[in-house]
Amino acid sequence: ATMGRLRTAVTNFSALDLSPDELLVHLDELVSRIDSDERGDVQGAGEFEGLLRDGRVARDSIANVTGASCLYALYDPVAGRVTIARAGHPGPALILPDGTATYPDVPVSPPLGLGDGMPVETLELELPEGSYLVLYTDGLLEDRQRDIGEGLDLLRDTLADSAGHGPEALCTAVLDAVLSARPIDDVALLVARTRLLGPEHVAEWEVPRDPAAVGPVRAECAATLEAWGLGDVGYTAELILSELITNAVRYGSPPIRVRLLHDRGLICEVADGSSTAPHPRRAAATDEGGRGLFLVAQLASRWGTRYTARGKVIWAELSPQEATPEPAVGTEAADSTDDILDQWESI
Protein backbone atom coordinates (compact mmCIF):
# COMPACT_ATOMS: atom_id res chain seq x y z
CA ALA A 1 0.00 0.00 0.00
CA THR A 2 2.87 2.36 0.81
CA MET A 3 4.55 1.71 -2.53
CA GLY A 4 1.22 2.31 -4.26
CA ARG A 5 1.03 5.76 -2.70
CA LEU A 6 4.56 6.58 -3.81
CA ARG A 7 3.94 5.29 -7.35
CA THR A 8 0.92 7.56 -7.62
CA ALA A 9 3.01 10.50 -6.46
CA VAL A 10 5.79 9.70 -8.96
CA THR A 11 3.25 9.46 -11.78
CA ASN A 12 1.79 12.86 -10.89
CA PHE A 13 5.21 14.50 -10.53
CA SER A 14 6.43 13.03 -13.84
CA ALA A 15 3.40 14.54 -15.59
CA LEU A 16 4.89 17.94 -14.70
CA ASP A 17 7.96 17.15 -16.83
CA LEU A 18 10.29 17.50 -13.85
CA SER A 19 13.93 16.50 -14.18
CA PRO A 20 14.98 13.41 -12.17
CA ASP A 21 16.69 15.45 -9.44
CA GLU A 22 13.72 17.81 -9.04
CA LEU A 23 11.30 14.90 -8.92
CA LEU A 24 13.23 13.16 -6.14
CA VAL A 25 13.42 16.38 -4.11
CA HIS A 26 9.63 16.78 -4.34
CA LEU A 27 9.15 13.10 -3.50
CA ASP A 28 11.45 13.41 -0.49
CA GLU A 29 9.45 16.38 0.83
CA LEU A 30 6.19 14.50 0.26
CA VAL A 31 7.38 11.45 2.19
CA SER A 32 8.45 13.63 5.13
CA ARG A 33 5.06 15.30 5.14
CA ILE A 34 3.16 12.00 4.94
CA ASP A 35 5.01 10.53 7.92
CA SER A 36 4.66 13.73 9.90
CA ASP A 37 0.90 13.88 9.25
CA GLU A 38 0.41 10.20 10.12
CA ARG A 39 2.28 10.53 13.42
CA GLY A 40 0.11 13.51 14.26
CA ASP A 41 -3.05 11.54 13.45
CA VAL A 42 -2.03 8.63 15.70
CA GLN A 43 -1.07 10.86 18.63
CA GLY A 44 -4.31 12.83 18.37
CA ALA A 45 -6.68 9.85 18.21
CA GLY A 46 -8.30 8.85 21.52
CA GLU A 47 -8.69 5.22 20.51
CA PHE A 48 -4.90 4.87 20.30
CA GLU A 49 -4.23 6.03 23.88
CA GLY A 50 -3.62 2.47 24.99
CA LEU A 51 -1.16 1.89 22.17
CA LEU A 52 0.71 5.05 22.97
CA ARG A 53 1.54 3.71 26.43
CA ASP A 54 3.66 1.12 24.68
CA GLY A 55 6.10 2.97 22.43
CA ARG A 56 7.03 -0.15 20.47
CA VAL A 57 3.43 -0.98 19.57
CA ALA A 58 2.69 2.64 18.70
CA ARG A 59 5.60 2.82 16.32
CA ASP A 60 4.54 -0.41 14.66
CA SER A 61 1.05 1.00 14.19
CA ILE A 62 2.31 3.83 11.98
CA ALA A 63 2.89 3.09 8.28
CA ASN A 64 6.34 4.64 8.12
CA VAL A 65 7.20 5.72 4.57
CA THR A 66 10.53 7.33 5.47
CA GLY A 67 13.44 5.22 4.29
CA ALA A 68 11.87 4.04 1.05
CA SER A 69 14.22 4.25 -1.93
CA CYS A 70 13.74 5.35 -5.53
CA LEU A 71 15.71 5.44 -8.75
CA TYR A 72 14.38 7.64 -11.57
CA ALA A 73 15.73 7.64 -15.12
CA LEU A 74 14.72 9.82 -18.05
CA TYR A 75 15.77 8.81 -21.58
CA ASP A 76 15.90 11.11 -24.60
CA PRO A 77 15.68 8.96 -27.77
CA VAL A 78 16.73 11.85 -30.01
CA ALA A 79 19.99 12.68 -28.24
CA GLY A 80 20.51 9.11 -26.97
CA ARG A 81 21.04 10.53 -23.48
CA VAL A 82 19.77 9.16 -20.17
CA THR A 83 19.63 11.20 -16.96
CA ILE A 84 19.58 9.20 -13.72
CA ALA A 85 19.08 10.16 -10.07
CA ARG A 86 18.65 7.92 -7.04
CA ALA A 87 17.64 8.24 -3.41
CA GLY A 88 18.99 5.37 -1.32
CA HIS A 89 18.44 2.93 -4.18
CA PRO A 90 20.92 0.52 -5.81
CA GLY A 91 22.44 2.01 -8.93
CA PRO A 92 21.61 0.63 -12.38
CA ALA A 93 23.66 -1.76 -14.48
CA LEU A 94 24.54 -0.94 -18.08
CA ILE A 95 25.26 -3.31 -20.95
CA LEU A 96 26.87 -1.75 -24.01
CA PRO A 97 26.34 -3.18 -27.52
CA ASP A 98 29.78 -4.88 -27.36
CA GLY A 99 28.62 -6.92 -24.33
CA THR A 100 30.50 -4.95 -21.66
CA ALA A 101 28.54 -4.80 -18.39
CA THR A 102 29.28 -2.02 -15.89
CA TYR A 103 27.77 -0.16 -12.96
CA PRO A 104 27.64 3.60 -13.76
CA ASP A 105 28.66 5.71 -10.78
CA VAL A 106 25.34 7.46 -10.11
CA PRO A 107 25.61 9.84 -7.11
CA VAL A 108 23.50 8.51 -4.25
CA SER A 109 21.27 10.71 -2.10
CA PRO A 110 19.68 9.74 1.24
CA PRO A 111 16.53 7.58 1.17
CA LEU A 112 13.20 9.34 0.81
CA GLY A 113 12.22 11.40 3.83
CA LEU A 114 15.81 11.78 5.01
CA GLY A 115 17.12 14.24 2.44
CA ASP A 116 16.14 17.28 4.52
CA GLY A 117 15.66 19.39 1.40
CA MET A 118 19.21 18.86 0.13
CA PRO A 119 19.76 18.98 -3.66
CA VAL A 120 19.96 15.70 -5.53
CA GLU A 121 22.81 15.01 -7.96
CA THR A 122 22.28 13.37 -11.34
CA LEU A 123 24.37 11.48 -13.86
CA GLU A 124 24.02 11.92 -17.63
CA LEU A 125 25.15 9.16 -19.96
CA GLU A 126 25.33 8.97 -23.74
CA LEU A 127 24.05 5.50 -24.66
CA PRO A 128 24.70 3.88 -28.04
CA GLU A 129 21.65 2.41 -29.70
CA GLY A 130 21.02 -1.14 -28.54
CA SER A 131 22.38 -0.62 -25.02
CA TYR A 132 20.59 -2.19 -22.06
CA LEU A 133 19.74 -0.31 -18.90
CA VAL A 134 19.06 -2.72 -16.01
CA LEU A 135 17.15 -1.47 -12.96
CA TYR A 136 16.56 -3.66 -9.91
CA THR A 137 15.74 -3.60 -6.20
CA ASP A 138 18.12 -4.79 -3.51
CA GLY A 139 15.89 -7.82 -2.95
CA LEU A 140 17.42 -9.30 -6.10
CA LEU A 141 20.90 -9.34 -4.55
CA GLU A 142 20.14 -10.06 -0.90
CA ASP A 143 21.06 -13.57 0.18
CA ARG A 144 22.07 -14.89 3.61
CA GLN A 145 24.76 -17.02 1.98
CA ARG A 146 26.67 -14.13 0.32
CA ASP A 147 27.43 -10.47 0.84
CA ILE A 148 26.19 -7.66 -1.40
CA GLY A 149 29.52 -7.40 -3.23
CA GLU A 150 29.34 -11.00 -4.35
CA GLY A 151 25.78 -10.45 -5.52
CA LEU A 152 26.84 -7.46 -7.63
CA ASP A 153 29.71 -9.43 -9.19
CA LEU A 154 27.36 -12.30 -10.01
CA LEU A 155 24.83 -9.93 -11.57
CA ARG A 156 27.48 -8.24 -13.72
CA ASP A 157 28.89 -11.56 -14.93
CA THR A 158 25.40 -12.85 -15.75
CA LEU A 159 24.55 -9.70 -17.71
CA ALA A 160 27.80 -9.91 -19.68
CA ASP A 161 27.23 -13.58 -20.52
CA SER A 162 23.61 -12.96 -21.60
CA ALA A 163 24.17 -9.66 -23.42
CA GLY A 164 23.14 -11.07 -26.80
CA HIS A 165 19.66 -12.00 -25.60
CA GLY A 166 16.52 -9.89 -25.72
CA PRO A 167 15.15 -8.08 -22.65
CA GLU A 168 12.80 -10.89 -21.58
CA ALA A 169 15.45 -13.59 -21.95
CA LEU A 170 17.90 -11.36 -20.09
CA CYS A 171 15.46 -11.04 -17.18
CA THR A 172 15.01 -14.81 -17.07
CA ALA A 173 18.77 -15.39 -17.05
CA VAL A 174 19.30 -12.91 -14.21
CA LEU A 175 16.53 -14.34 -12.06
CA ASP A 176 17.79 -17.90 -12.59
CA ALA A 177 21.40 -17.05 -11.75
CA VAL A 178 21.18 -14.31 -9.11
CA LEU A 179 17.90 -14.69 -7.21
CA SER A 180 18.16 -16.88 -4.13
CA ALA A 181 15.89 -19.88 -3.66
CA ARG A 182 14.15 -18.13 -0.76
CA PRO A 183 14.18 -14.35 -1.34
CA ILE A 184 14.07 -12.35 1.89
CA ASP A 185 12.62 -9.23 0.26
CA ASP A 186 10.44 -8.20 -2.65
CA VAL A 187 12.17 -8.28 -6.04
CA ALA A 188 11.70 -6.00 -9.05
CA LEU A 189 13.77 -6.20 -12.24
CA LEU A 190 13.43 -3.98 -15.31
CA VAL A 191 15.50 -4.25 -18.49
CA ALA A 192 15.16 -1.49 -21.10
CA ARG A 193 16.84 -1.59 -24.51
CA THR A 194 17.62 1.82 -25.97
CA ARG A 195 16.87 2.92 -29.49
CA LEU A 196 17.43 6.19 -31.29
CA LEU A 197 15.01 8.27 -33.28
CA GLY A 198 16.83 8.70 -36.61
CA PRO A 199 17.35 12.08 -38.25
CA GLU A 200 14.76 11.22 -40.90
CA HIS A 201 12.15 11.37 -38.11
CA VAL A 202 13.23 14.75 -36.72
CA ALA A 203 12.78 18.20 -38.26
CA GLU A 204 13.94 21.50 -36.72
CA TRP A 205 13.68 25.19 -37.58
CA GLU A 206 15.05 28.41 -36.11
CA VAL A 207 12.33 31.08 -35.91
CA PRO A 208 13.15 34.82 -35.96
CA ARG A 209 11.29 36.89 -33.39
CA ASP A 210 9.06 38.36 -36.05
CA PRO A 211 5.31 37.70 -36.44
CA ALA A 212 5.81 37.55 -40.19
CA ALA A 213 8.01 34.44 -39.74
CA VAL A 214 5.14 32.32 -38.40
CA GLY A 215 3.52 31.70 -41.79
CA PRO A 216 6.65 30.46 -43.63
CA VAL A 217 7.66 28.15 -40.77
CA ARG A 218 4.13 26.79 -40.61
CA ALA A 219 4.23 26.06 -44.33
CA GLU A 220 7.54 24.20 -44.01
CA CYS A 221 6.11 22.14 -41.14
CA ALA A 222 3.08 21.25 -43.29
CA ALA A 223 5.35 20.13 -46.15
CA THR A 224 7.35 17.96 -43.75
CA LEU A 225 4.19 16.31 -42.43
CA GLU A 226 3.11 15.50 -45.96
CA ALA A 227 6.51 13.94 -46.64
CA TRP A 228 6.14 11.82 -43.52
CA GLY A 229 2.72 10.65 -44.62
CA LEU A 230 0.95 12.53 -41.81
CA GLY A 231 -1.29 14.64 -43.95
CA ASP A 232 -4.33 13.49 -41.95
CA VAL A 233 -3.10 15.40 -38.90
CA GLY A 234 -1.55 18.24 -40.89
CA TYR A 235 -4.40 20.70 -40.37
CA THR A 236 -4.55 20.04 -36.61
CA ALA A 237 -0.77 20.29 -36.31
CA GLU A 238 -0.76 23.59 -38.18
CA LEU A 239 -3.34 25.04 -35.80
CA ILE A 240 -1.31 23.94 -32.78
CA LEU A 241 2.00 25.16 -34.20
CA SER A 242 0.51 28.51 -35.17
CA GLU A 243 -0.60 29.12 -31.58
CA LEU A 244 2.62 27.93 -29.95
CA ILE A 245 4.95 29.76 -32.34
CA THR A 246 2.92 32.98 -32.12
CA ASN A 247 3.01 32.81 -28.30
CA ALA A 248 6.78 32.31 -28.38
CA VAL A 249 7.29 35.23 -30.77
CA ARG A 250 5.03 37.56 -28.80
CA TYR A 251 5.81 36.65 -25.22
CA GLY A 252 8.98 34.54 -25.26
CA SER A 253 12.60 35.42 -25.90
CA PRO A 254 15.21 34.20 -28.39
CA PRO A 255 16.33 31.70 -29.42
CA ILE A 256 13.02 30.31 -30.70
CA ARG A 257 13.07 26.81 -32.19
CA VAL A 258 10.46 24.47 -33.61
CA ARG A 259 10.95 20.72 -33.63
CA LEU A 260 8.76 17.91 -35.01
CA LEU A 261 9.27 14.32 -33.87
CA HIS A 262 7.66 11.48 -35.79
CA ASP A 263 7.61 8.16 -33.99
CA ARG A 264 4.42 6.28 -33.09
CA GLY A 265 2.64 9.59 -33.39
CA LEU A 266 3.64 13.22 -33.78
CA ILE A 267 5.15 15.55 -31.18
CA CYS A 268 5.28 19.29 -31.88
CA GLU A 269 7.77 21.28 -29.78
CA VAL A 270 8.32 25.03 -29.61
CA ALA A 271 11.23 26.20 -27.46
CA ASP A 272 12.27 29.70 -26.43
CA GLY A 273 14.62 31.33 -23.95
CA SER A 274 11.99 32.44 -21.45
CA SER A 275 11.13 30.44 -18.33
CA THR A 276 7.61 31.88 -18.14
CA ALA A 277 5.07 29.26 -19.19
CA PRO A 278 1.64 30.10 -20.65
CA HIS A 279 -1.51 28.85 -18.93
CA PRO A 280 -4.93 28.16 -20.42
CA ARG A 281 -7.64 30.49 -19.19
CA ARG A 282 -11.34 30.94 -19.74
CA ALA A 283 -11.73 33.94 -22.02
CA ALA A 284 -14.82 36.14 -21.73
CA ALA A 285 -17.08 36.56 -24.75
CA THR A 286 -15.75 40.10 -25.25
CA ASP A 287 -12.05 39.16 -25.03
CA GLU A 288 -10.08 39.32 -28.26
CA GLY A 289 -7.57 36.68 -27.15
CA GLY A 290 -6.94 34.04 -24.54
CA ARG A 291 -8.46 31.07 -26.33
CA GLY A 292 -5.40 29.68 -28.08
CA LEU A 293 -4.05 27.34 -25.40
CA PHE A 294 -7.53 26.13 -24.57
CA LEU A 295 -7.91 25.02 -28.18
CA VAL A 296 -4.45 23.42 -28.13
CA ALA A 297 -5.52 21.39 -25.10
CA GLN A 298 -8.66 20.29 -26.97
CA LEU A 299 -6.84 19.34 -30.18
CA ALA A 300 -3.81 17.53 -28.70
CA SER A 301 -3.96 14.20 -26.89
CA ARG A 302 -1.44 15.59 -24.39
CA TRP A 303 0.52 18.79 -23.98
CA GLY A 304 2.79 20.33 -21.40
CA THR A 305 5.80 22.44 -20.51
CA ARG A 306 9.34 21.18 -20.03
CA TYR A 307 11.88 23.54 -18.48
CA THR A 308 15.48 23.52 -19.66
CA ALA A 309 18.68 25.17 -18.50
CA ARG A 310 18.04 28.00 -20.99
CA GLY A 311 14.29 28.42 -21.09
CA LYS A 312 11.39 26.08 -21.76
CA VAL A 313 9.77 23.81 -24.33
CA ILE A 314 6.03 23.73 -24.95
CA TRP A 315 5.07 20.40 -26.51
CA ALA A 316 1.90 18.85 -27.87
CA GLU A 317 1.36 15.23 -28.89
CA LEU A 318 -0.91 14.02 -31.67
CA SER A 319 -1.81 10.58 -32.95
CA PRO A 320 -2.96 9.87 -36.54
CA GLN A 321 -6.43 9.05 -35.20
CA GLU A 322 -6.87 12.55 -33.76
CA ALA A 323 -7.13 14.52 -36.98
CA THR A 324 -9.39 17.57 -37.07
CA PRO A 325 -11.36 17.86 -40.31
CA GLU A 326 -10.46 20.82 -42.48
CA PRO A 327 -13.16 23.44 -43.00
CA ALA A 328 -15.66 22.71 -45.75
CA VAL A 329 -14.98 24.34 -49.10
CA GLY A 330 -17.60 25.74 -51.45
CA THR A 331 -19.91 27.54 -49.00
CA GLU A 332 -20.09 31.23 -48.20
CA ALA A 333 -19.16 30.55 -44.56
CA ALA A 334 -16.12 28.46 -45.43
CA ASP A 335 -12.65 29.97 -45.65
CA SER A 336 -9.52 28.45 -47.04
CA THR A 337 -7.12 26.76 -44.67
CA ASP A 338 -4.58 29.54 -45.07
CA ASP A 339 -7.17 32.21 -44.30
CA ILE A 340 -8.26 30.46 -41.11
CA LEU A 341 -4.67 29.91 -39.99
CA ASP A 342 -3.85 33.56 -40.65
CA GLN A 343 -6.80 34.55 -38.46
CA TRP A 344 -5.57 32.15 -35.78
CA GLU A 345 -2.36 34.13 -35.46
CA SER A 346 -4.33 37.19 -34.44
CA ILE A 347 -6.16 35.43 -31.60
Side-chain angles (χ1 to χ4, degrees):
T2 298
M3 291 301 101
R5 298 171 72 180
L6 296 186
R7 279 197 300 270
T8 300
V10 169
T11 300
N12 290 334
F13 285 141
S14 64
L16 301 176
D17 279 332
L18 298 175
S19 61
D21 54 330
E22 291 178 307
L23 185 143
L24 289 187
V25 168
H26 284 293
L27 197 60
D28 177 78
E29 294 172 350
L30 177 64
V31 167
S32 298
R33 189 162 62 249
I34 288 175
D35 276 347
S36 177
D37 291 346
E38 288 188 346
R39 289 190 182 95
D41 289 343
V42 171
Q43 293 172 359
E47 60 267 27
F48 286 104
E49 288 180 357
L51 289 176
L52 291 175
R53 297 191 189 99
D54 183 346
R56 179 185 60 79
V57 176
R59 283 193 299 271
D60 291 344
S61 302
I62 301 174
N64 193 345
V65 188
T66 295
S69 66
C70 181
L71 184 145
Y72 192 86
L74 187 64
Y75 178 66
D76 181 350
V78 178
R81 182 184 304 112
V82 64
T83 305
I84 310 171
R86 60 176 174 141
H89 200 83
L94 176 64
I95 309 176
L96 296 177
D98 63 2
T100 303
T102 61
Y103 293 109
D105 188 14
V106 181
V108 61
S109 299
L112 300 175
L114 303 175
D116 198 24
M118 295 295 292
V120 174
E121 294 185 67
T122 61
L123 176 68
E124 285 193 357
L125 296 172
E126 301 283 346
L127 301 183
E129 185 170 17
S131 302
Y132 287 93
L133 193 64
V134 183
L135 314 180
Y136 53 91
T137 58
D138 52 8
L140 176 67
L141 304 177
E142 290 177 343
D143 191 326
R144 294 185 178 90
Q145 307 301 321
R146 64 173 184 244
D147 60 32
I148 192 69
E150 293 175 338
L152 288 170
D153 291 341
L154 179 58
L155 174 60
R156 183 181 55 213
D157 294 342
T158 303
L159 293 175
D161 294 340
S162 308
H165 300 162
E168 292 186 9
L170 192 58
C171 284
T172 300
V174 168
L175 294 177
D176 290 343
V178 181
L179 187 62
S180 66
R182 294 185 177 181
I184 59 178
D185 199 356
D186 293 336
V187 177
L189 174 64
L190 174 67
V191 175
R193 179 167 51 195
T194 65
R195 65 185 185 89
L196 294 176
L197 198 61
E200 68 275 10
H201 296 288
V202 181
E204 297 183 79
W205 295 269
E206 294 279 346
V207 183
R209 194 177 181 184
D210 180 359
V214 177
V217 172
R218 186 187 65 217
E220 292 185 34
C221 291
T224 300
L225 295 178
E226 286 291 340
W228 284 346
L230 297 176
D232 52 345
V233 297
Y235 180 73
T236 304
E238 287 185 66
L239 293 176
I240 291 174
L241 287 168
S242 290
E243 170 61 23
L244 298 184
I245 298 173
T246 301
N247 273 350
V249 169
R250 287 182 175 176
Y251 308 114
S253 59
I256 300 172
R257 296 185 178 89
V258 175
R259 186 168 73 163
L260 299 180
L261 306 176
H262 175 211
D263 191 12
R264 295 180 179 88
L266 175 69
I267 297 178
C268 307
E269 296 182 345
V270 178
D272 72 88
S274 169
S275 59
T276 302
H279 298 282
R281 66 184 181 88
R282 184 178 295 277
T286 56
D287 288 348
E288 295 184 1
R291 300 172 181 83
L293 283 178
F294 172 76
L295 293 175
V296 169
Q298 299 301 306
L299 295 173
S301 58
R302 296 190 305 160
W303 78 283
T305 303
R306 181 172 67 253
Y307 292 95
T308 65
R310 298 182 179 179
K312 66 177 181 297
V313 177
I314 310 294
W315 57 268
E317 185 174 337
L318 287 167
S319 66
Q321 292 77 27
E322 293 167 335
T324 296
E326 295 191 24
V329 177
T331 66
E332 294 181 359
D335 294 304
S336 68
T337 301
D338 288 339
D339 289 341
I340 289 180
L341 291 172
D342 289 338
Q343 293 172 18
W344 180 280
E345 293 170 14
S346 64
I347 294 177

